[in-house]
Protein backbone atom coordinates (compact mmCIF):
# COMPACT_ATOMS: atom_id res chain seq x y z
CA UNK A 1 0.00 0.00 0.00
CA UNK A 2 1.04 3.58 -0.50
CA UNK A 3 2.22 5.76 2.35
CA UNK A 4 3.48 9.30 2.65
CA UNK A 5 6.09 10.37 5.16
CA UNK A 6 6.63 13.96 6.16
CA UNK A 7 9.01 15.15 8.83
CA UNK A 8 9.60 16.66 11.27
CA UNK A 9 6.18 17.06 12.89
CA UNK A 10 7.14 20.29 14.61
CA UNK A 11 9.99 22.70 14.09
CA UNK A 12 11.06 25.94 15.73
CA UNK A 13 13.60 27.95 13.77
CA UNK A 14 15.11 31.42 14.24
CA UNK A 15 14.60 34.15 11.69
CA UNK A 16 17.29 34.02 9.02
CA UNK A 17 18.02 30.33 9.42
CA UNK A 18 17.68 27.84 6.55
CA UNK A 19 14.86 25.35 6.19
CA UNK A 20 14.58 21.90 4.68
CA UNK A 21 11.39 19.87 4.91
CA UNK A 22 11.32 16.45 3.31
CA UNK A 23 8.44 14.40 2.01
CA UNK A 24 8.68 10.89 0.63
CA UNK A 25 6.08 8.58 -0.81
CA UNK A 26 6.25 4.78 -0.81
CA UNK A 27 4.41 2.20 -2.84
CA UNK A 28 3.84 4.15 -6.02
CA UNK A 29 5.76 5.54 -8.95
CA UNK A 30 5.64 8.85 -10.80
CA UNK A 31 3.20 10.49 -8.41
CA UNK A 32 2.16 14.13 -8.60
CA UNK A 33 3.57 15.85 -5.50
CA UNK A 34 2.38 19.00 -3.75
CA UNK A 35 3.48 21.40 -0.99
CA UNK A 36 0.87 23.48 0.81
CA UNK A 37 1.06 25.99 3.63
CA UNK A 38 -1.69 26.83 6.06
CA UNK A 39 -1.38 29.91 8.24
CA UNK A 40 -3.17 29.81 11.59
CA UNK A 41 -6.93 29.82 11.06
CA UNK A 42 -6.60 30.12 7.31
CA UNK A 43 -7.13 27.93 4.27
CA UNK A 44 -4.61 25.84 2.34
CA UNK A 45 -2.29 27.72 0.03
CA UNK A 46 -0.69 25.73 -2.79
CA UNK A 47 3.04 26.53 -2.87
CA UNK A 48 4.54 24.09 -5.36
CA UNK A 49 3.58 21.04 -7.33
CA UNK A 50 5.53 18.56 -9.41
CA UNK A 51 4.47 16.09 -12.07
CA UNK A 52 7.90 14.49 -12.45
CA UNK A 53 11.57 14.49 -11.40
CA UNK A 54 13.04 17.94 -11.71
CA UNK A 55 9.71 19.46 -12.78
CA UNK A 56 8.56 22.08 -10.30
CA UNK A 57 5.70 24.53 -10.73
CA UNK A 58 5.63 27.47 -8.36
CA UNK A 59 2.27 28.92 -7.49
CA UNK A 60 3.22 31.80 -5.22
CA UNK A 61 6.53 33.67 -5.52
CA UNK A 62 8.02 33.91 -2.07
CA UNK A 63 10.90 33.00 0.18
CA UNK A 64 10.68 29.28 -0.53
CA UNK A 65 11.84 26.82 -3.16
CA UNK A 66 11.12 23.19 -3.90
CA UNK A 67 13.07 20.35 -5.46
CA UNK A 68 12.32 16.83 -6.55
CA UNK A 69 15.66 15.01 -6.73
CA UNK A 70 14.05 11.56 -6.89
CA UNK A 71 10.74 10.26 -8.17
CA UNK A 72 9.15 9.95 -4.73
CA UNK A 73 10.97 12.68 -2.83
CA UNK A 74 9.85 16.28 -2.58
CA UNK A 75 11.82 18.86 -0.61
CA UNK A 76 10.77 22.32 0.51
CA UNK A 77 13.60 24.72 1.29
CA UNK A 78 14.42 28.24 2.30
CA UNK A 79 17.79 29.95 2.57
CA UNK A 80 16.63 32.48 5.15
CA UNK A 81 13.39 32.11 7.05
CA UNK A 82 11.08 35.04 7.73
CA UNK A 83 8.58 35.37 10.56
CA UNK A 84 5.82 35.16 7.94
CA UNK A 85 7.01 31.68 6.97
CA UNK A 86 5.45 30.28 10.14
CA UNK A 87 2.60 27.90 9.48
CA UNK A 88 1.46 24.35 8.96
CA UNK A 89 3.20 22.79 5.94
CA UNK A 90 1.55 19.88 4.23
CA UNK A 91 2.88 17.54 1.59
CA UNK A 92 0.48 15.61 -0.62
CA UNK A 93 0.66 13.11 -3.44
CA UNK A 94 -1.74 11.98 -6.12
CA UNK A 95 -1.44 9.21 -8.70
CA UNK A 96 -1.07 10.81 -12.09
CA UNK A 97 -4.51 11.06 -13.68
CA UNK A 98 -6.34 9.88 -10.57
CA UNK A 99 -8.79 11.89 -8.53
CA UNK A 100 -7.92 11.35 -4.89
CA UNK A 101 -4.97 13.09 -3.25
CA UNK A 102 -3.36 11.89 -0.03
CA UNK A 103 -1.87 14.23 2.53
CA UNK A 104 0.91 13.80 5.04
CA UNK A 105 0.54 14.64 8.69
CA UNK A 106 2.13 18.04 8.27
CA UNK A 107 4.97 20.03 9.82
CA UNK A 108 4.13 22.86 12.15
CA UNK A 109 6.86 25.48 11.66
CA UNK A 110 7.31 28.36 14.05
CA UNK A 111 9.82 31.02 13.10
CA UNK A 112 10.99 33.01 16.11
CA UNK B 1 -8.67 27.99 -12.00
CA UNK B 2 -12.43 27.74 -11.69
CA UNK B 3 -13.43 29.16 -8.32
CA UNK B 4 -15.70 27.76 -5.66
CA UNK B 5 -17.68 29.65 -3.04
CA UNK B 6 -18.64 28.14 0.30
CA UNK B 7 -20.12 29.55 3.51
CA UNK B 8 -17.44 30.30 6.08
CA UNK B 9 -19.13 28.26 8.79
CA UNK B 10 -22.11 26.04 9.53
CA UNK B 11 -23.49 24.45 12.62
CA UNK B 12 -25.56 21.33 13.10
CA UNK B 13 -26.61 18.89 15.76
CA UNK B 14 -25.37 15.39 16.31
CA UNK B 15 -27.29 12.64 14.49
CA UNK B 16 -28.96 15.12 12.15
CA UNK B 17 -28.26 15.43 8.42
CA UNK B 18 -25.94 18.20 7.23
CA UNK B 19 -26.05 19.81 3.81
CA UNK B 20 -22.88 21.70 2.88
CA UNK B 21 -23.33 23.89 -0.21
CA UNK B 22 -20.76 24.89 -2.81
CA UNK B 23 -21.19 27.27 -5.74
CA UNK B 24 -19.00 26.90 -8.82
CA UNK B 25 -20.71 28.99 -11.47
CA UNK B 26 -17.65 29.08 -13.76
CA UNK B 27 -17.17 25.33 -13.83
CA UNK B 28 -16.06 23.91 -17.17
CA UNK B 29 -17.25 20.73 -18.79
CA UNK B 30 -14.12 18.82 -17.83
CA UNK B 31 -13.96 19.89 -14.17
CA UNK B 32 -14.59 17.27 -11.51
CA UNK B 33 -16.06 18.41 -8.20
CA UNK B 34 -14.05 17.17 -5.23
CA UNK B 35 -14.68 17.41 -1.52
CA UNK B 36 -12.05 17.08 1.16
CA UNK B 37 -12.25 17.64 4.88
CA UNK B 38 -9.61 18.63 7.39
CA UNK B 39 -9.83 17.59 10.99
CA UNK B 40 -8.03 19.77 13.55
CA UNK B 41 -4.23 19.59 13.31
CA UNK B 42 -4.34 17.06 10.47
CA UNK B 43 -3.92 17.08 6.73
CA UNK B 44 -7.04 17.04 4.55
CA UNK B 45 -8.64 13.75 3.64
CA UNK B 46 -10.60 12.92 0.53
CA UNK B 47 -14.35 12.63 0.98
CA UNK B 48 -15.98 12.24 -2.41
CA UNK B 49 -15.94 13.47 -5.99
CA UNK B 50 -18.23 13.56 -8.98
CA UNK B 51 -18.70 14.92 -12.48
CA UNK B 52 -22.41 15.05 -13.34
CA UNK B 53 -24.34 12.36 -11.50
CA UNK B 54 -24.99 12.21 -7.78
CA UNK B 55 -22.50 10.04 -5.92
CA UNK B 56 -22.66 8.05 -2.70
CA UNK B 57 -19.95 6.44 -0.62
CA UNK B 58 -19.53 5.32 2.95
CA UNK B 59 -18.64 8.81 4.12
CA UNK B 60 -21.15 11.04 2.37
CA UNK B 61 -23.29 11.78 -0.65
CA UNK B 62 -22.66 14.39 -3.32
CA UNK B 63 -25.61 16.03 -5.03
CA UNK B 64 -24.72 17.92 -8.21
CA UNK B 65 -27.08 20.44 -9.75
CA UNK B 66 -28.25 19.74 -13.26
CA UNK B 67 -26.39 22.79 -14.62
CA UNK B 68 -23.34 21.80 -12.51
CA UNK B 69 -23.01 25.31 -11.15
CA UNK B 70 -23.51 24.14 -7.60
CA UNK B 71 -23.20 21.02 -5.50
CA UNK B 72 -24.05 19.87 -2.00
CA UNK B 73 -22.16 17.52 0.25
CA UNK B 74 -24.57 15.57 2.42
CA UNK B 75 -23.62 13.96 5.70
CA UNK B 76 -26.61 11.81 6.44
CA UNK B 77 -26.17 11.55 10.18
CA UNK B 78 -23.55 13.84 11.64
CA UNK B 79 -21.36 12.74 14.52
CA UNK B 80 -19.00 14.79 16.65
CA UNK B 81 -16.13 13.35 14.63
CA UNK B 82 -17.50 15.07 11.53
CA UNK B 83 -16.54 18.46 12.94
CA UNK B 84 -13.97 19.73 10.45
CA UNK B 85 -13.30 22.22 7.67
CA UNK B 86 -14.88 20.99 4.45
CA UNK B 87 -13.34 22.04 1.14
CA UNK B 88 -15.03 21.96 -2.23
CA UNK B 89 -12.55 22.13 -5.10
CA UNK B 90 -12.62 21.73 -8.85
CA UNK B 91 -10.08 19.67 -10.69
CA UNK B 92 -9.68 19.74 -14.44
CA UNK B 93 -9.62 16.20 -15.75
CA UNK B 94 -7.50 17.34 -18.67
CA UNK B 95 -4.13 19.00 -18.35
CA UNK B 96 -3.55 20.83 -15.09
CA UNK B 97 -2.63 18.62 -12.16
CA UNK B 98 -2.71 21.21 -9.43
CA UNK B 99 -5.20 21.10 -6.59
CA UNK B 100 -6.27 24.52 -5.39
CA UNK B 101 -8.22 24.78 -2.14
CA UNK B 102 -10.48 27.65 -1.12
CA UNK B 103 -11.29 28.74 2.42
CA UNK B 104 -13.73 25.93 3.08
CA UNK B 105 -16.65 25.67 5.49
CA UNK B 106 -15.96 25.14 9.17
CA UNK B 107 -18.60 22.67 10.38
CA UNK B 108 -19.43 22.59 14.07
CA UNK B 109 -21.45 19.69 15.46
CA UNK B 110 -23.36 20.24 18.68
CA UNK B 111 -23.90 17.26 20.99
Amino acid sequence: SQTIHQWPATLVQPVGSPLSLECTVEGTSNPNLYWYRQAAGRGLQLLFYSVGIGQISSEVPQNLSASRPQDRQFILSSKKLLLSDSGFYLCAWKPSGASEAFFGQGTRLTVV
Amino acid sequence: DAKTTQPNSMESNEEEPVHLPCNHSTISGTDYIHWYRQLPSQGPEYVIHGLTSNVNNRMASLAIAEDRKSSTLILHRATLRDAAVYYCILRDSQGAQKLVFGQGTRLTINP
Side-chain angles (χ1 to χ4, degrees):
Chain A
S1 63
Q2 303 93 350
T3 55
I4 179 169
H5 301 280
Q6 187 182 344
W7 66 92
T10 59
L11 190 60
V12 179
Q13 292 283 103
V15 169
S17 64
L19 173 73
S20 180
L21 299 180
E22 187 166 342
C23 173
T24 60
V25 181
E26 295 179 356
T28 187
S29 60
N30 197 33
N32 293 334
L33 297 170
Y34 306 85
W35 276 113
Y36 291 87
R37 177 171 64 196
Q38 187 170 37
R42 306 292 295 274
L44 289 158
Q45 179 186 35
L46 178 63
L47 301 176
F48 301 94
Y49 71 99
S50 171
V51 298
I53 296 175
Q55 301 178 57
I56 308 295
S57 296
S58 175
E59 287 299 297
V60 183
Q62 54 199 318
N63 187 39
L64 300 168
S65 62
S67 62
R68 184 170 177 173
Q70 299 181 42
D71 181 42
R72 291 168 291 173
Q73 184 185 31
F74 206 22
I75 298 172
L76 183 69
S77 304
S78 173
K79 291 182 180 178
K80 287 186 178 182
L81 284 169
L82 306 172
L83 287 175
S84 57
D85 290 325
S86 293
F88 190 42
Y89 287 82
L90 287 154
C91 179
W93 77 276
K94 185 177 74 67
S96 179
S99 296
E100 183 176 351
F102 302 89
F103 284 77
Q105 290 302 301
T107 295
R108 192 162 300 282
L109 171 67
T110 304
V111 182
V112 297
Chain B
D1 302 313
K3 189 176 178 180
T4 63
T5 306
Q6 300 175 254
N8 289 332
S9 62
M10 289 184 64
E11 199 169 326
S12 186
N13 298 319
E14 199 174 9
E15 299 188 0
E16 290 184 357
V18 180
H19 291 233
L20 296 162
C22 181
N23 288 322
H24 27 80
S25 58
T26 59
I27 191 171
S28 74
T30 54
D31 284 335
Y32 278 82
I33 302 158
H34 291 247
W35 283 83
Y36 284 77
R37 72 178 186 181
Q38 186 177 19
L39 302 174
S41 299
Q42 295 187 27
E45 63 174 346
Y46 166 86
V47 177
I48 201 167
H49 79 278
L51 183 63
T52 56
S53 303
N54 294 343
V55 185
N56 299 295
N57 66 20
R58 62 175 180 82
M59 290 181 72
S61 296
L62 176 60
I64 301 172
E66 195 169 337
D67 63 6
R68 300 206 332 121
K69 294 187 176 181
S70 65
S71 61
T72 302
L73 180 71
I74 302 167
L75 307 178
H76 293 286
R77 200 171 170 204
T79 70
L80 295 178
R81 288 176 294 178
D82 291 321
V85 178
Y86 286 78
Y87 297 96
C88 167
I89 65 174
L90 302 181
R91 190 183 77 81
D92 189 355
S93 61
Q94 301 177 5
Q97 293 295 315
K98 59 184 182 181
L99 302 172
V100 180
F101 288 73
Q103 293 300 309
T105 297
R106 183 173 298 277
L107 176 64
T108 301
I109 303 297
N110 300 315

